[in-house]
């Protein structure tokens, strides 16, 4: 059963050719460069509608989202901790800044993005990114499932007739759902794109499947003049180079108080999503480490973005999956994606605006299929109930609220479940020495959750005059454990009996001495090579 569970966890995500990481010898070969460049182009095409859509969510000009996608994508591709991962403007950040933009304006947004970046750099320099290791596996499963659902739901807006313009006359806020012939045509083109992505690898691998799907669908739509929603219907993406711009906000304490809460939330959300994506991409490509480096890269990217009129962002799991599935394994793909995005803005806007949204929706639907852990349904019946609850909880909370809340909730539930399980593991075996002393051999960790069970192990009223508590099979963890030992010692002293503490490790000894209540002999035995008694001195506890 255990092997089946581990196998189910290990196989939770299946994408083709995910472990084809280039070796040092072929990293710069012509074939590798071709794959990286085409993969970057594919990612850039998928980035355009995403960046525009997230700008609409934040109620800012679409170019604010596009500039963020370009700058963040470029900087993190160069400096990031995981080659192959794609970053840009994201919905997770967009939903946080809605109220800031609505209340104080876009200039306060730029200032908040700069502060967000500074916080992320500090996290990276302090090497706090390593704490992402505390995220349990069930939380990761819930993370990928939740984001797959979020990506799927985000595509639903493309099945609406463009409505009223927003963000200063740019783009559309949505409208009525497509129906009848237009809906059937849209669904047919989406299905065509998905079919091309699925079958083209069997014909040729010279071009990434997602790029082939986009190009074939776009050629059909343009050649036959089909009336379907296109990128240009969302917004015009033509613009200039992002200009350097110092946020026009008062340099006052009041301004700092306004932007600080948003900056902290954006930094936390951005780092959590980035580090979880980093782990996910790392598992797929066989890479390790880089968490703190990624924090610094994300922070640097957001600082620069704030000074060039961008909305801030983080790692993007959808685009990262497109890149990995298309064969991107090095920094080249991310750099190329950012540069292509800039080329689209400066020179190729009229052409890119003709790409049908159905093609991009089809690509994202394939990302959803490849990202969602379909064998989660089988896993739920095999893992402990707590893990199953965590998987479902994180998935639901991700969809209903945001990623940061979901991950924190999942970690808390997992930690509480772990504490509860360990609290039930403490027990004691007893025996008597030839001298008539009773020995309690404690097994299991002694911490805040197990103190009640620990105290209940002892019978001061009926025990002999000398009691030895042997901690060789236990570990004293925290202040609650010390208080529990004190409580037991006090009960024996009240009965006029003596206890000895035996086999405490060096760190436990330090805890006892620091507490100042239980006094122990200074001859500690951290290696357990011999038994050393720890005497509770009469008159120390509670005035006895």
């Amino acid at each position: 059963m255990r092997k089946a569970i581990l196998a189910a966890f290990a196989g939770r995500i299946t994408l083709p050719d995910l472990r084809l990481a280039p070796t040092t010898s072929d990293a710069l070969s012509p074939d590798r460069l071709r794959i990286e460049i085409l993969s970057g182009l594919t990612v850039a095409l998928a980035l355009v509608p995403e960046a525009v859509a997230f700008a609409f969510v934040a109620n800012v000009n679409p170019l604010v989202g596009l500039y963020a996608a370009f700058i963040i994508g470029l900087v993190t591709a160069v400096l990031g901790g995981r080659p192959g991962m794609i970053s840009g403007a994201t919905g997770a950040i967009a939903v946080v800044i809605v109220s800031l933009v609505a209340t104080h304006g876009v200039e306060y947004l730029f200032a908040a993005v700069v502060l967000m970046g500074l916080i992320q750099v500090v996290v990276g320099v302090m090497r706090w990114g390593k704490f992402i290791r505390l995220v349990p596996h069930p939380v990761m499963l819930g993370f990928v499932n939740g984001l797959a659902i979020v990506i799927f739901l985000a595509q639903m807006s493309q099945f609406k007739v463009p409505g009223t313009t927003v963000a200063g006359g740019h783009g559309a806020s949505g409208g009525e759902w497509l129906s009848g012939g237009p809906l059937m045509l849209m669904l047919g083109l989406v299905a065509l794109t998905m079919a091309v992505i699925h079958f083209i690898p069997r014909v040729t691998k010279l071009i990434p499947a997602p790029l082939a799907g986009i190009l074939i669908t776009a050629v059909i739509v343009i050649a036959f003049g089909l009336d379907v929603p296109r990128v240009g219907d969302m917004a015009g993406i033509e613009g200039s180079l992002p200009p350097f711009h110092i946020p026009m906000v008062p340099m006052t304490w009041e301004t700092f108080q306004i932007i600080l809460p948003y900056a902290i939330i954006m930094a936390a959300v951005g780092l959590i999503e980035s580090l979880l994506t980093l782990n996910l991409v790392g598992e797929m490509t066989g890479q390790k480490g880089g968490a703190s480096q990624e924090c610094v890269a994300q922070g640097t990217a957001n600082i620069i973005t704030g000074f060039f009129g961008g909305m801030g962002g983080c790692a993007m799991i959808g685009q990262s999956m497109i890149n990995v599935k298309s064969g991107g394994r090095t920094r080249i793909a991310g750099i190329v994606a950012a540069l292509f995005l800039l080329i689209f803005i400066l020179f190729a806007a009229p052409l890119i605006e003709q790409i049908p949204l159905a093609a991009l929706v089809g690509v994202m639907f394939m990302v959803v299929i490849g990202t969602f852990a379909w064998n989660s349904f089988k896993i739920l019946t095999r893992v402990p109930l707590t893990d199953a609850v965590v998987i479902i909880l994180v998935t639901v909370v991700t969809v209903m609220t945001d990623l940061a809340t979901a991950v924190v909730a999942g970690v808390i539930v997992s930690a509480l479940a772990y504490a509860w399980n360990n609290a039930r593991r403490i027990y004691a075996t007893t025996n008597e020495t030839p001298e008539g002393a009773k020995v309690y051999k404690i097994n299991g960790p002694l911490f805040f959750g197990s103190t009640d069970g620990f105290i209940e192990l002892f019978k001061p009223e009926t025990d002999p005059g000398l009691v030895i508590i042997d901690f060789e099979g236990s570990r004293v963890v925290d202040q609650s454990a010390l208080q529990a030992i004190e409580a037991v010692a006090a009960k024996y002293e009240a009965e006029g009996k003596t206890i000895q503490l035996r086999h405490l490790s060096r760190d436990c000894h330090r805890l006892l001495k620091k507490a100042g209540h239980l006094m122990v002999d200074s001859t500690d035995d951290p290696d357990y090579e011999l038994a050393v008694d720890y005497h509770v001195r009469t008159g120390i506890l509670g005035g006895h």
Side-chain angles (χ1 to χ4, degrees):
M1 175 63 75
R2 182 179 179 182
K3 291 183 178 180
I5 294 173
L6 293 177
F9 268 120
R12 67 189 184 284
I13 298 175
T14 54
L15 286 173
D17 301 323
L18 290 182
R19 292 193 174 272
L20 299 180
T23 62
T24 303
S25 60
D26 70 351
L28 295 179
S29 66
D31 187 56
R32 169 51 50 187
L33 286 175
R34 174 186 60 80
I35 294 173
E36 298 293 329
I37 292 173
L38 292 178
S39 180
L41 175 59
T42 307
V43 170
L45 291 172
L47 275 172
V48 173
E50 294 283 300
V52 172
F54 296 146
F56 289 158
V57 171
N59 198 29
V60 296
N61 191 296
L63 283 176
V64 174
L66 291 169
Y67 287 156
F70 159 62
I71 297 172
I72 295 174
L74 180 61
V75 174
T76 56
V78 174
L79 303 178
R82 180 72 73 244
M85 196 167 79
I86 303 297
S87 298
T90 60
I93 301 297
V95 296
V96 174
I97 62 179
V98 172
S99 60
L100 176 63
V101 174
T103 306
H104 301 283
V106 71
E107 294 295 332
Y108 279 82
L109 165 62
F110 299 149
V113 170
V114 172
L115 183 56
M116 162 196 179
L118 290 172
I119 294 172
Q120 292 177 326
V121 169
V122 170
V123 171
V125 171
M126 298 300 293
R127 307 190 70 83
W128 291 339
K130 60 186 177 183
F131 289 110
I132 198 65
R133 302 172 186 171
L134 297 178
V135 177
H137 220 285
V139 175
M140 282 293 295
L141 276 179
F143 160 73
V144 296
N145 286 350
L147 280 188
I149 295 173
V150 169
I151 293 172
F152 173 80
L153 295 177
Q155 308 312 308
M156 294 300 99
S157 62
Q158 311 303 342
F159 291 87
K160 290 184 177 181
V161 178
T164 58
T165 58
V166 297
H170 299 272
S173 62
E176 297 181 356
W177 291 98
L178 294 174
S179 61
L183 176 60
M184 293 297 102
L185 181 58
M186 181 78 170
L187 291 174
L189 293 173
V190 170
L192 171 64
T193 305
M194 296 174 69
V196 171
I197 295 173
H198 179 73
F199 290 107
I200 198 69
R202 304 180 184 182
V203 178
T204 178
K205 293 186 178 180
L206 293 177
I207 182 172
L211 180 59
I214 293 172
L215 294 179
I216 291 175
T217 303
V219 167
I220 292 175
V221 168
I222 295 173
F224 290 93
L226 301 179
D227 185 17
V228 294
R230 309 189 185 194
V231 172
D233 295 329
M234 296 183 66
I237 66 170
E238 186 174 3
S240 60
L241 285 171
F244 180 78
H245 173 75
I246 297 177
M248 302 299 292
V249 298
M251 298 297 176
T252 63
W253 177 250
E254 181 181 359
T255 298
F256 182 75
Q257 288 179 308
I258 292 173
I259 65 175
L260 180 61
Y262 292 97
I264 292 175
I265 296 173
M266 287 192 294
V269 170
L271 288 182
I272 289 174
E273 182 160 357
S274 297
L275 293 177
L276 289 178
T277 303
L278 178 137
N279 280 353
L280 185 62
V281 173
E283 288 180 8
M284 296 177 176
T285 59
Q287 300 168 329
K288 297 181 179 180
S292 296
Q293 181 180 345
E294 185 64 31
C295 293
V296 174
Q298 292 289 334
T300 303
N302 279 302
I303 292 173
I304 297 174
T305 300
F307 284 117
F308 281 88
M311 60 180 282
C314 60
M316 308 179 74
I317 187 173
Q319 277 64 30
S320 296
M321 294 301 100
I322 291 174
N323 187 43
V324 171
K325 189 173 183 179
S326 300
R329 295 294 187 276
T330 71
R331 299 185 186 276
I332 296 174
I335 295 172
V336 167
L339 294 178
F340 267 122
L341 188 59
L342 181 62
I343 292 173
F344 295 163
I345 296 172
L346 298 178
F347 308 111
L351 179 61
I352 299 302
E353 290 171 4
Q354 295 305 310
I355 295 177
L357 290 176
L360 301 175
V361 171
V363 172
M364 299 310 295
F365 278 175
M366 292 300 288
V367 169
V368 170
I369 294 173
T371 301
F372 192 89
W374 297 101
N375 57 356
S376 295
F377 300 109
K378 183 185 297 183
I379 290 173
L380 291 175
T381 64
R382 297 181 177 180
V383 298
L385 178 60
T386 303
D387 289 343
V389 170
V390 169
I391 294 172
I392 297 173
L393 173 68
V394 174
T395 301
V396 173
V397 176
T398 298
V399 176
M400 300 301 296
T401 58
D402 59 78
L403 172 65
T405 302
V407 171
V408 171
V411 170
I412 290 175
V413 172
S414 297
L416 291 176
Y418 174 80
W420 175 253
N421 289 333
N422 277 277
R424 297 185 299 172
R425 291 177 182 173
I426 195 163
Y427 65 96
T429 58
T430 62
N431 65 278
E432 291 190 3
T433 65
E435 294 78 15
K438 186 174 183 179
V439 179
Y440 286 86
K441 292 187 176 181
I442 308 301
N443 293 275
L446 180 55
F447 68 110
F448 68 91
S450 60
T451 53
D452 288 345
F454 171 77
I455 294 173
E456 293 172 359
L457 296 174
F458 302 94
K459 301 294 185 288
E461 299 83 2
T462 58
D463 283 344
L466 176 61
V467 173
I468 300 172
I469 306 178
D470 191 337
F471 288 92
E472 184 176 9
S474 182
R475 181 69 177 267
V476 179
V477 176
D478 56 15
Q479 179 63 28
S480 296
L482 301 182
Q483 294 296 329
I485 296 174
E486 279 194 20
V488 171
K491 290 182 178 181
Y492 280 102
E493 288 192 22
E495 296 290 333
K497 299 174 182 178
T498 302
I499 70 167
Q500 296 176 0
L501 308 182
R502 179 177 293 178
H503 284 120
L504 287 173
S505 62
R506 188 181 300 275
D507 55 345
C508 296
H509 189 183
R510 284 196 296 265
L511 281 174
L512 290 166
K513 290 186 68 174
K514 186 176 181 181
H517 299 299
L518 280 173
M519 301 299 292
V520 300
D521 292 338
S522 60
T523 54
D524 200 0
D525 178 30
D527 297 323
Y528 304 120
E529 292 178 357
L530 51 91
V532 178
D533 293 342
Y534 296 83
H535 300 273
V536 178
R537 296 179 181 175
T538 304
I540 299 298
L541 291 169
H544 295 282

